Amino acid sequence: MIEILPIKLLTDEDGLIFGSLNINLAKLARMGFPVAPGVVITAPEFKLKTVLEHYDFGAKEIIEQSLTLVKKELASIPIPLQLQKETKGVKYFFLNDEVKSSAKQVWQVLIAIWLDEIKKRLWKDGFYPGITQNLDAQVVIFIKKIDAAGNAFFDFLQDDVIINIKKGKLHPNDQKKIFDLVKLANKKLFIPHDYEWILDGGVKLVGIKPYTPDPIITSTIGESQSPTRIALSQVPRNDKMNSAVKVFLDLSSSLIIDKNIDGIYICSEKIFDLNNPTDSFEDLVFKIVESAKTFPDSPVFLKLADVSEGMSDGRQGMGKVRGALRLLHQKSLFDPVTDALSFARHKKGLTNIHIVIPFIRGVQELLQLKRELATKKLMRKNSLQIWMEVCIPENIINLEDYLIAGVDGVVLNLDELISFLNGFDKTCDEMTFYKKEVTGLLKFLDDGLKLLHKSKVRFLAYGSLTLHPQVLDFLVEKGVYGVVAEKYEAPSAKDLLYQTEKRIILGRSA
């Protein structure tokens, strides 16, 4: 005889039958948490015991063979009438991380789960009279269409919520919902748990497991790993170091969320692909819109696509047709990126998105590209800033002319600048040791940064050189507005900047 009850109807009195974890799931449902509809089913202990007694489990060598015969015999048992009644009218079920389309399939999966549990008991203790007692009750969820599934828990070593994605992808908004659900559910249940979730017309909880600390934490999203694991940072605690210099997270190739940042930086050439314009355009729109929604009070800088002629894998050539020049002469590159920007600003009303014009070789290119942007109704105003990327020495030498032409800020691409100054191609891996020779770069930038400070024009630092100790000291000394950090750099960037600022201030007062 099996017992079946809808999740919401479980109470403390049912704990001995259905298990304390399923009772906790029911408690959350009654508290208003988004728990998916479904039922909890107990194992048919008597029937399992009756079948098992007909087979020999005395020798471990024949356990597997005997269980195979047991499974075949149990599979021929008709679906319990109670199960048919509770699942009538339901088209799709979610059980054991699988989607099933009939009650018969659900019953077969349930039998397999319980037999697997019995198998573990057999290997451990051999056959005994009560081997079918107290088998774990199983949760069967009723679904429509699952877009993603996984589990999440609060990790005390990370001081963070860890989200494992076993199937599909998550929007940043859904990540935030899961983050909040885990935090609140732990408070309501008083002790931490591991929560199973699905994305079915919204985030829904489908199960609870005991929490077991895991010291090995990875942090990736948007990649084809299974499961994908995301670390969502908490609201900064009082012991977090804050810096005057802002940290902008580079979300060009990831969607990791860290609340301890001041803005977002997106390089559109890393997302939009001319060889796959339809799908990559959708990815670009998604990245822009979700970033701006997730951080509505922070600036999101979108750099227009800087694609080099004849270069692959996002590599940029020194003397190639690229940057502003290519945008001006290739509508198939310029239009999709600006259309994505227009959609986010004009259709979605996301006015915290600003433009960065890439790789400019002269003032005329800047002026002409600003005119092209104006035709898309993307003109400079209080809610739309236009910044320029500084990549070549000419930009610094004629910086005053660029400021007169009208820009709201400057992005120093330090990797590009040092490659032109030191005379090496940064796409050539054998020559990258020249990156360490930063003295000439800092001397060259000195007058230009003084001009920016005098003109009250802010500047960002971008590139792998940004957190180089000598370069970082120089940038902080010159009043850098912010630095763009990769996902693996962002967690420690604030502390590093704080220590640098503290050291410089103490040095001045000494």
Side-chain angles (χ1 to χ4, degrees), residues 15 38 115 122 147 203 214 225 248 280-281 314 337 371 395 426 430 439 446 451 475 505:
L115 278 180
L122 284 169
D147 295 315
V203 174
D214 181 3
Q225 298 178 356
F248 292 82
S280 61
F281 174 77
V337 178
R371 285 193 290 268
N395 298 155
K426 69 184 185 68
E430 293 80 4
T439 305
D446 190 55
L451 175 61
L475 293 172
I505 293 172

Side-chain angles (χ1 to χ4, degrees), residues 40 122 135 177 186 216 238 292 334:
V40 184
L122 284 169
L135 296 173
K177 290 177 183 176
N186 278 345
I216 303 174
N238 293 331
F334 177 76

Side-chain angles (χ1 to χ4, degrees), residues 165 168-169 219-228 253-255 487:
I165 303 177
K169 294 182 179 180
S219 302
T220 54
I221 183 170
E223 301 171 355
S224 58
Q225 298 178 356
S226 180
T228 301
S253 55
S254 69
L255 262 181
K487 62 186 179 183

Side-chain angles (χ1 to χ4, degrees), residues 19 36 50 64 86 88 114 118 183 197 199 221 234 244 247 296 303 328 360 393 446 472 483:
T50 302
E64 289 286 350
E86 291 291 344
K88 186 177 181 180
W114 289 319
I118 292 171
K183 296 271 291 185
W197 54 266
L199 189 63
I221 183 170
Q234 275 187 298
V247 175
K303 190 183 84 169
L328 289 170
I360 303 170
D446 190 55
L472 189 60
V483 298

Side-chain angles (χ1 to χ4, degrees), residues 115-264:
L115 278 180
D116 189 63
E117 193 173 349
I118 292 171
K119 176 183 174 182
K120 292 176 182 178
R121 296 181 180 184
L122 284 169
W123 281 106
K124 183 181 178 181
D125 302 315
F127 186 84
Y128 56 93
I131 196 169
T132 61
Q133 293 179 2
N134 300 319
L135 296 173
D136 291 338
Q138 299 298 316
V139 178
V140 178
I141 298 297
F142 306 154
I143 62 172
K144 293 181 180 178
K145 180 184 178 183
I146 290 184
D147 295 315
N151 68 296
F153 58 90
F154 185 86
D155 185 83
F156 291 91
L157 296 175
Q158 278 278 102
D159 196 23
D160 207 359
V161 171
I162 305 301
I163 301 177
N164 292 324
I165 303 177
K166 300 177 182 178
K167 172 187 177 182
K169 294 182 179 180
L170 277 180
H171 291 192
N173 286 346
D174 294 322
Q175 296 166 21
K176 180 64 168 58
K177 290 177 183 176
I178 296 172
F179 174 84
D180 292 337
L181 282 174
V182 171
K183 296 271 291 185
L184 185 58
N186 278 345
K187 288 182 180 180
K188 295 294 185 181
L189 298 178
F190 302 110
I191 57 175
H193 291 86
D194 189 350
Y195 301 92
E196 295 180 314
W197 54 266
I198 60 172
L199 189 63
D200 180 16
V203 174
K204 297 176 182 177
L205 299 179
V206 296
I208 300 179
K209 293 182 178 179
Y211 166 68
T212 303
D214 181 3
I216 303 174
I217 304 297
T218 56
S219 302
T220 54
I221 183 170
E223 301 171 355
S224 58
Q225 298 178 356
S226 180
T228 301
R229 182 169 286 186
I230 313 159
L232 288 176
S233 294
Q234 275 187 298
V235 176
R237 304 170 300 173
N238 293 331
D239 60 347
K240 289 283 186 181
M241 302 297 187
N242 288 319
S243 63
V245 178
K246 299 184 180 300
V247 175
F248 292 82
L249 183 62
D250 188 348
L251 287 188
S252 306
S253 55
S254 69
L255 262 181
I256 227 167
I257 301 300
D258 186 342
K259 286 298 180 183
N260 194 32
I261 60 171
D262 303 296
I264 302 297

Side-chain angles (χ1 to χ4, degrees), residues 56-67:
D56 182 14
F57 296 99
K60 290 188 176 181
E61 292 78 12
I62 62 173
I63 285 179
E64 289 286 350
Q65 181 180 356
S66 297
L67 284 176

